Amino acid sequence: MSRTDTTPRAPAPPDRARVEEAAWWLSDRVVRTPVLNSPAIDRLAGVRVLLKAENLQTGGSYKMRGAMLAVGRLAAAGHTGVVAQSTGNHAVAVALAAARHGLRATVVLPVDAASTKVARARAAGARVVLAGTTLDERLATARQMGDAEGLPLIDAYDHPDVVAGQGTASLELIEEAERLGTPLDALVVPVGGGGGVAGACLAADGRPVDVYGVEPVGCDSLARSLVAGRPTPVAPAPTIADGLRPTCVGELPFAVLRDTVRGVVRVDDDQIAEAFRLLLLDLKVLTEPSGAAGLAGALCLVGEPGADVVGRPGAGAVGRSGRRRADYRTVGVVLTGGNVEADLVARLATRQWEGVAA
Amino acid sequence: MSRTDTTPRAPAPPDRARVEEAAWWLSDRVVRTPVLNSPAIDRLAGVRVLLKAENLQTGGSYKMRGAMLAVGRLAAAGHTGVVAQSTGNHAVAVALAAARHGLRATVVLPVDAASTKVARARAAGARVVLAGTTLDERLATARQMGDAEGLPLIDAYDHPDVVAGQGTASLELIEEAERLGTPLDALVVPVGGGGGVAGACLAADGRPVDVYGVEPVGCDSLARSLVAGRPTPVAPAPTIADGLRPTCVGELPFAVLRDTVRGVVRVDDDQIAEAFRLLLLDLKVLTEPSGAAGLAGALCLVGEPGADVVGRPGAGAVGRSGRRRADYRTVGVVLTGGNVEADLVARLATRQWEGVAA
């Protein structure tokens, strides 16, 4: 198949080959975002930090990758419309991907969604439905609409194309680090439903890279699931990282993560806010708080002996990298998105941010 | 000479070959910054806009290019220290370049310099001297210190290495646009002392690209100089673009620009502020107001029949591109820098910015 074919291959259980194939198919359909580096951030971390700027991706987040792949397959199968639900970025991405493929998109967002994300989904031509504030409410609405109108649902993380597509961002970062002569010892990715970090684990398969997820304190379904050995829901605590508040890690991501992820770093909102400021004022890029969480986690991981890191049970003290945390030399971070309200940018930039009301 | 030689060739009058040689020498010494693009900005402009993100350059501005080249040559000639003056970014760049080459740097900034820039110059190990608020005051101090201590002065724009070095950002943008299959019809660069736009003219020499400078209203020394046929000083008006307020375009840049630049676009602070917001919230990169001025100018150039554009006398209605402004298809912009205070970011992001006090 040539790269300009419009048909991605049929679904298969996600694995590294699936991520590599997705990367190839997406290579002229999404932006190859730059890998950035800052001497000041390196000094602060005490290691080299390579940052994959997916906030510069079309649609403002790496969700465009999985959405393009999933919508592309549905379009090739003859579907004329799709439905999706998310707190925002997946909905924006599905709206844009559907527009590219000439499909109608219906996207379900929470009533308290960031207005930036609602506006972007509408600008892409999607029908936007606002439903409740929880995942269950959105999912029920999305399923109901999909059933009524015969539209397939593209889940935000429990979907093989979404896992593989998001994994391509990690694969590009891993390969770019090798090209630069500074291969990654660790790779850090924020966790909502776990699709991105599962994709990262698949991308890193066969390489000496330790993959970590980052969760806000109190939104730590993956950390709890690793300990329990099965997907374990939480009642998500309030956090500034609105994209990292699903009730539970997805079944499919967890099936990948339970045997591959090195661990989970838990970060609080102050750490996320500080990472946001570093990225904005030093690196000069705008991330949303969820998108900055990866850097917050990486700084904890390499900088704080008492950092709140939950290892995967049975993973031992040394992972695939063959190194202990204190010996990492190069750490990769996926800056997953940059869709954030101007008011919040202003408050975070000037440290006039006093947390999220419970 | 191999690219890892530490000796750039001896000075020569700047021309396109000089810019190409500078690009080659700098290629493993500065960041090859990405060329960014936004569907939303393209729609707004009605043309394709390719943005060279030099705000992501080491030191936060494209001044690093000329500074590395000039300091590299002085280091190779056996100097152990250098002196420079600027409103900020050139001083930061010389400080960093000197540190890289093991030279002492003394940099003279105005007493009202952005504290970000003072802090960055100090962090790079430079001795920072604050002197007056005008170019003449800084220049007198810098010359006095240079003479007293036998240190060569690296002028912020009236210097062949600085012109050639800054031109390499434009050359990379021109070449990347060609590689993408969308060669530039026009290239827009903000004007302080004119070093960057002169370098752009040299980089574009022999290609069908119209080069424009952008000046804040009331800081339009280049526009006035083109009309007068000689460098013509102004009493710079207050502007949010603190890097674009020199009293007069440099002699050396003007010698290049008088025969090559297509024209100058004058923009006001509201246009600069709007470009800043677009870059931050849509493109997701942080620029300083001076760094956003290029986009403000480009949007005027292609979007407004009544835009305040001063053509070079004798240039006629059609330039090197062979196109009238209304027929441009692809316009390049150099985002020259991103060093800006958090407070100003917050005020600009939320439109709570009421102009600069006179």
Side-chain angles (χ1 to χ4, degrees):
Chain A
M1 135 175 136
S2 101
R3 204 168 61 187
T4 53
D5 278 357
T6 53
T7 318
R9 274 205 226 141
D15 56 13
R16 174 173 148 186
R18 184 79 179 275
V19 177
E20 288 171 347
E21 188 192 342
W24 178 74
W25 190 80
L26 288 171
S27 63
D28 56 359
R29 291 178 167 87
V30 299
V31 174
R32 189 174 180 100
T33 57
V35 172
L36 305 177
N37 172 249
S38 149
I41 291 175
D42 285 359
R43 273 195 301 274
L44 191 67
V47 302
R48 185 166 170 84
V49 182
L50 297 179
L51 301 130
K52 177 72 170 166
E54 285 289 307
N55 52 331
L56 307 181
Q57 186 55 264
T58 304
S61 90
Y62 79 151
K63 297 281 186 178
M64 191 64 183
R65 295 171 178 268
M68 278 296 282
L69 195 63
V71 172
R73 193 185 309 285
L74 292 168
H79 288 276
T80 58
V82 294
V83 62
Q85 68 72 26
S86 88
T87 51
N89 281 335
H90 175 66
V92 172
V94 169
L96 286 167
R100 290 261 197 104
H101 285 93
L103 269 62
R104 285 174 299 113
T106 302
V107 297
V108 183
L109 285 95
V111 294
D112 58 355
S115 64
T116 292
K117 293 172 181 173
V118 174
R120 282 178 170 254
R122 287 206 172 111
R127 175 172 55 159
V128 174
V129 177
L130 301 180
T133 56
T134 68
L135 169 65
D136 287 346
E137 290 169 288
R138 290 194 302 279
L139 209 48
T141 301
R143 283 187 178 139
Q144 194 175 26
M145 299 188 75
D147 290 347
E149 306 180 25
L151 299 173
L153 173 68
I154 303 177
D155 195 88
Y157 39 84
D158 235 339
H159 190 295
D161 284 334
V162 169
V163 170
Q166 263 72 308
T168 63
S170 292
L171 185 62
E172 288 179 8
L173 172 53
I174 289 168
E175 292 178 346
E176 178 73 4
E178 289 170 355
R179 202 188 62 74
L180 293 169
T182 51
L184 301 185
D185 298 311
L187 172 56
V188 184
V189 183
V191 179
V197 69
C201 286
L202 297 177
D205 184 30
R207 287 182 165 98
V209 180
D210 294 338
V211 178
Y212 292 85
V214 179
E215 295 186 304
V217 171
C219 301
D220 55 346
S221 169
L222 176 56
R224 290 167 189 266
S225 301
L226 288 173
V227 172
R230 62 179 183 281
T232 303
V234 294
T239 170
I240 194 172
D242 63 318
L244 308 184
R245 296 187 67 230
T247 315
C248 191
V249 63
E251 298 270 351
L252 177 63
F254 186 71
V256 171
L257 293 164
R258 64 184 304 158
D259 297 320
T260 53
V261 76
R262 181 83 185 86
V264 174
V265 190
R266 280 185 289 227
V267 295
D268 65 27
D269 279 3
D270 287 341
Q271 291 169 316
I272 293 173
E274 196 55 39
F276 169 94
R277 275 190 290 273
L278 263 176
L279 292 165
L280 182 68
L281 298 173
D282 183 70
L283 200 68
K284 320 293 185 196
V285 296
L286 180 68
T287 53
E288 53 190 282
S290 304
L295 177 58
L299 291 174
C300 285
L301 190 69
V302 297
E304 298 174 20
D308 186 2
V309 181
V310 179
R312 178 167 54 82
V318 174
R320 284 179 178 167
S321 68
R323 297 178 187 280
R324 290 168 187 273
R325 275 164 48 199
D327 299 324
Y328 289 156
R329 291 167 307 182
T330 305
V331 174
V333 172
V334 182
L335 305 177
T336 50
N339 293 325
V340 53
E341 310 295 304
D343 279 354
L344 184 55
V345 173
R347 283 184 290 138
L348 287 168
T350 53
R351 291 198 172 90
Q352 286 170 0
W353 171 75
E354 299 299 334
V356 175
Chain B
M1 140 172 133
S2 100
R3 204 168 63 184
T4 52
D5 279 355
T6 53
T7 318
R9 276 205 225 140
D15 57 13
R16 174 173 148 186
R18 184 78 178 274
V19 177
E20 288 171 348
E21 188 192 343
W24 179 73
W25 190 81
L26 288 171
S27 63
D28 56 359
R29 291 178 167 89
V30 299
V31 175
R32 189 176 179 100
T33 57
V35 173
L36 305 177
N37 172 250
S38 149
I41 292 175
D42 285 359
R43 274 196 301 274
L44 192 66
V47 302
R48 186 166 169 85
V49 182
L50 297 179
L51 301 129
K52 177 72 169 166
E54 284 290 307
N55 52 331
L56 307 181
Q57 186 57 262
T58 304
S61 88
Y62 78 152
K63 297 282 185 176
M64 191 64 184
R65 295 170 178 269
M68 277 296 282
L69 196 63
V71 172
R73 193 186 308 285
L74 292 167
H79 289 276
T80 58
V82 293
V83 62
Q85 67 73 26
S86 88
T87 51
N89 281 335
H90 175 65
V92 172
V94 168
L96 287 168
R100 291 260 198 106
H101 285 93
L103 270 62
R104 285 174 299 114
T106 302
V107 298
V108 183
L109 286 95
V111 294
D112 58 356
S115 64
T116 290
K117 293 172 182 173
V118 174
R120 281 177 171 255
R122 287 206 173 111
R127 175 172 55 159
V128 174
V129 178
L130 301 179
T133 56
T134 68
L135 169 65
D136 288 345
E137 291 169 286
R138 291 194 303 278
L139 209 48
T141 302
R143 284 188 178 136
Q144 195 175 25
M145 298 188 76
D147 290 347
E149 305 181 27
L151 300 174
L153 174 68
I154 303 177
D155 194 87
Y157 39 84
D158 236 338
H159 189 296
D161 283 333
V162 170
V163 170
Q166 263 70 309
T168 62
S170 291
L171 185 63
E172 288 179 8
L173 173 52
I174 289 168
E175 291 178 346
E176 177 73 3
E178 290 170 354
R179 202 187 61 76
L180 293 169
T182 52
L184 301 185
D185 298 312
L187 172 56
V188 184
V189 183
V191 180
V197 69
C201 285
L202 298 177
D205 184 30
R207 285 182 165 99
V209 180
D210 294 338
V211 178
Y212 292 85
V214 178
E215 294 187 305
V217 172
C219 301
D220 54 347
S221 170
L222 175 56
R224 289 167 189 266
S225 300
L226 288 173
V227 172
R230 62 178 182 282
T232 303
V234 294
T239 170
I240 193 172
D242 63 318
L244 307 184
R245 294 188 68 229
T247 316
C248 191
V249 63
E251 298 270 352
L252 177 62
F254 187 71
V256 172
L257 293 164
R258 65 184 304 159
D259 298 320
T260 53
V261 76
R262 181 82 185 84
V264 174
V265 188
R266 280 185 288 229
V267 295
D268 65 27
D269 279 2
D270 287 341
Q271 291 169 315
I272 294 172
E274 195 55 39
F276 169 94
R277 274 190 289 274
L278 263 176
L279 291 165
L280 182 67
L281 299 172
D282 182 70
L283 201 68
K284 320 293 184 195
V285 296
L286 180 67
T287 53
E288 54 189 281
S290 303
L295 177 59
L299 290 174
C300 286
L301 190 69
V302 297
E304 299 174 18
D308 187 2
V309 181
V310 178
R312 178 167 53 82
V318 174
R320 284 178 178 169
S321 67
R323 297 179 186 279
R324 290 168 186 274
R325 274 164 48 199
D327 299 324
Y328 290 155
R329 291 168 307 183
T330 305
V331 174
V333 172
V334 182
L335 305 177
T336 49
N339 293 325
V340 53
E341 309 295 304
D343 279 355
L344 184 54
V345 173
R347 284 184 291 138
L348 287 168
T350 53
R351 292 200 172 88
Q352 285 170 1
W353 171 76
E354 299 299 336
V356 175

